[in-house]
Amino acid sequence: MGEYAAYEPGLPASDRIRADVRLATPEDARAIATLYARRHDKALHEVEPQVAGELERIGAGTRAGCVFVAWTRERVVGYGRVRRVVPGVDGQPDELPDGWYLMGVVVDPAWRRRGVASALGRARLAWIAERADAAYCFTNRANRAAIDLHRSLGFEPVELTFAHERAELEAGEGQLFRCTLGTEFRERP
Ligand SMILES: CC(C)(COP(=O)(O)OP(=O)(O)OC[C@H]1O[C@@H](n2cnc3c(N)ncnc32)[C@H](O)[C@@H]1OP(=O)(O)O)[C@@H](O)C(=O)NCCC(=O)NCCS
């Protein structure tokens, strides 16, 4: 599987589904690790302990962030993380604004273009809106599907050059986005 979805802006809308979105629990570790391993072409056994450890630490949502899952027909079909970025701390670039970031959203290829990532995005923005009046995210400039997704959620590009070792982004490869969070996110998660 490619790391990025093929960019298909003109695709006619496929059936939207009502994905239920909730905070992940440690029981979701295998499903999340499976999606991550497939996307990054890694073995499940390499990834699962890391994901399980992460969910034990932050599953219910902490000052460091949270993880949401989307599920339908009783199985997880996507996940998305929220992370607090404090510039210069814990390996985060000095250049990035301090704040809450949407990070690492992945949807099962069989369930794409049905609104699952949008639902995960809205739930995470509602979570952030309880804590801040803006949210950030960054993507690789080559990931045009992710760029359109985040723009449809209300993100606007911010001109900034940064490098992010852990996201494997060289200077100039990453695009930063910012979304102002109004009352709509607080009232209608
Ligand atoms: C990017 C990704 C998360 C989108 O998930 P999804 O559930 O298919 O997205 P949605 O159905 O909610 O799409 C919402 C909007 O995003 C845009 N979009 C999503 N996928 C797209 C694609 N392949 N090509 C063009 N635009 C796309 C469209 O504007 C879409 O609205 P539309 O379907 O009405 O045209 C998914 O393709 C994925 O998991 N990709 C691999 C991982 C990845 O790149 N993650 C992002 C890292 S920042």
Side-chain angles (χ1 to χ4, degrees):
M1 177 169 69
E3 202 170 345
Y4 305 146
Y7 184 57
E8 296 174 315
L11 196 74
S14 48
D15 290 347
R16 290 287 185 260
I17 52 164
R18 210 190 105 63
D20 290 301
V21 175
R22 58 166 169 76
L23 282 167
T25 69
E27 286 70 47
D28 297 312
R30 170 146 302 185
I32 293 172
T34 301
L35 290 167
Y36 181 93
R38 282 181 70 188
R39 180 184 178 207
H40 294 281
D41 207 15
K42 293 196 186 272
L44 181 60
H45 68 84
E46 283 175 45
V47 172
E48 194 175 349
Q50 226 173 305
V51 175
E54 175 193 12
L55 292 178
E56 291 292 342
R57 283 195 309 279
I58 72 153
T62 67
R63 279 179 298 166
C66 65
V67 183
F68 276 89
V69 288
W71 55 286
T72 186
R73 295 195 197 150
E74 298 181 3
R75 76 185 190 86
V76 169
V77 294
Y79 71 86
R81 293 189 165 88
V82 174
R83 281 286 176 279
R84 180 73 202 273
V85 168
V86 182
V89 173
D90 198 20
Q92 300 295 345
D94 286 330
E95 299 85 350
L96 286 178
D98 187 328
W100 294 99
Y101 285 65
L102 303 193
M103 287 202 195
V105 59
V106 179
V107 173
D108 183 330
W111 291 91
R112 287 182 186 168
R113 292 315 275 279
R114 294 172 180 213
V116 173
S118 302
L120 281 164
R122 286 193 301 273
R124 289 180 295 158
L125 289 175
W127 191 92
I128 296 172
E130 299 293 323
R131 296 158 176 84
D133 55 14
Y136 296 90
C137 74
F138 51 79
T139 73
N140 191 304
R141 288 178 195 267
N143 194 349
R144 297 176 70 194
I147 290 173
D148 282 14
L149 164 70
H150 288 98
R151 292 202 75 136
S152 75
L153 287 166
F155 283 88
E156 299 285 348
V158 175
E159 280 322 310
L160 183 78
T161 301
F162 64 96
H164 199 300
E165 224 170 83
R166 279 194 284 162
E168 294 171 11
L169 290 174
E170 303 286 339
E173 282 182 353
Q175 173 69 58
L176 178 70
F177 292 87
R178 181 181 190 280
C179 176
T180 302
L181 299 172
T183 49
E184 73 275 17
F185 287 106
R186 295 186 184 92
E187 287 161 6
R188 197 162 37 81

